[in-house]
Amino acid sequence: MNNESYIAIVGGIPGVGKTTVINEALKIARAENFDISVIIYGTVMMEIAEKNYNVKHRDAMRKLPPRAQKEIQRQAALEIAERAKGKVVIVDTHFTIKTGIGSFLQGIPSWVSEAFHPKLLVLIETTAEEIKKRRELDTSRARDEDSLDLLMEHQLLNKIVAASIGQKTGALLLVIPNRQGKATEAGRVLFENLKAMKA
Ligand code: ATP
Ligand code: MG
């Protein structure tokens, strides 16, 4: 069995539509009989936090000391790399995470990208106005009310971080606009690039 993994890291700021676009790509993949798995980084971190740190809720995980959070993040990377062996895998995650006190946590520090050997880095983007509106309309989640300037700054920071991961890993970089009502089109672009990873 070929144990090589084909990992695509999909990031973008909260509420931009990562999960929506990934689901669109999955629908196309199913129709074309192309096998793709999705792993949500935060979910694997939560599994480890529950097991090793007695954390009961996702929000409690964010309140652990940064050192504990980084350790959970490291363990999750190893677990995901293991699960990805021999597969095409989308990792649904964030390139940077707002801490609430002005700084940003690295979503993919070097020890994570070294565990992943990603082949593709995908940024889902749209305008600050659309992100703001989507967050307001999405009542299923407790979302931050960031200013338009902060949304743009965070999005730009993600792009810079993704480019720097691309430099270090040699992974291809893909920016997908997820415009209003165009998630299917964005999903198609994602799917075509996932397929190309194995070609
Ligand atoms: P998080 O990082 O918090 O997981 P996310 O980036 O995965 O967020 P989603 O949950 O996919 O974001 O989408 C946020 C909201 O925006 C949802 O209500 C979704 O239906 C809506 N949305 C996503 N993409 C589009 C689009 N192209 N047009 C209109 N609405 C969209
Ligand atoms: Mg999501």
Side-chain angles (χ1 to χ4, degrees):
M1 191 187 132
N2 176 12
N3 253 353
E4 185 172 2
S5 52
Y6 300 85
I7 294 184
I9 298 175
V10 177
I13 68 178
V16 72
K18 293 178 293 300
T19 305
T20 306
V21 172
I22 289 169
N23 286 338
E24 291 296 326
L26 287 182
K27 271 192 229 163
I28 300 167
R30 270 194 294 272
E32 294 201 13
N33 261 325
F34 188 89
D35 203 22
I36 296 173
S37 309
V38 179
I39 299 177
I40 301 172
Y41 204 120
T43 302
V44 179
M45 281 184 69
M46 189 57 206
E47 286 167 17
I48 291 166
E50 267 178 338
K51 201 164 64 185
N52 302 346
Y53 293 81
N54 201 26
V55 167
K56 304 269 187 265
H57 307 283
R58 222 165 246 257
D59 294 328
M61 188 164 67
R62 271 188 281 153
K63 291 183 184 125
L64 287 171
R67 202 188 311 178
Q69 290 190 49
K70 281 191 191 170
E71 178 53 23
I72 296 168
Q73 185 187 44
R74 191 187 68 80
Q75 290 178 27
L78 298 176
E79 174 65 31
I80 292 167
E82 193 56 37
R83 289 188 201 173
K85 278 188 181 160
K87 294 183 185 159
V88 176
V89 171
I90 294 172
V91 181
D92 182 345
T93 187
H94 297 96
F95 288 106
T96 61
I97 301 115
K98 236 169 30 107
T99 61
I101 52 168
S103 59
F104 292 86
L105 272 171
Q106 294 289 338
I108 314 290
S110 59
W111 51 91
V112 173
S113 58
E114 279 158 20
F116 284 174
H117 300 292
K119 296 215 171 4
L120 182 65
L121 305 169
V122 185
L123 272 157
I124 308 293
E125 292 195 342
T126 194
T127 62
E129 287 80 5
E130 286 186 359
I131 295 164
K132 202 171 170 62
K133 224 179 288 160
R134 282 177 205 169
R135 284 187 180 182
E136 282 163 7
L137 290 175
D138 184 8
T139 48
S140 69
R141 305 278 296 269
R143 296 191 179 278
D144 290 355
E145 283 182 39
D146 293 334
S147 68
L148 294 178
D149 282 350
L150 182 56
L151 289 171
M152 285 323 284
E153 186 178 284
H154 192 181
Q155 189 158 258
L156 177 61
L157 185 61
N158 281 338
K159 200 179 255 172
I160 294 165
V161 166
S164 108
I165 298 168
Q167 268 290 315
K168 288 196 206 97
T169 59
L172 293 175
L173 197 56
L174 171 68
V175 180
I176 304 181
N178 177 29
R179 301 311 306 270
Q180 195 60 19
K182 302 279 184 197
T184 306
E185 285 82 343
R188 164 68 60 188
V189 175
L190 176 58
F191 173 68
E192 292 300 338
N193 279 273
L194 292 167
K195 223 165 58 167
M197 283 200 300
K198 262 196 120 171

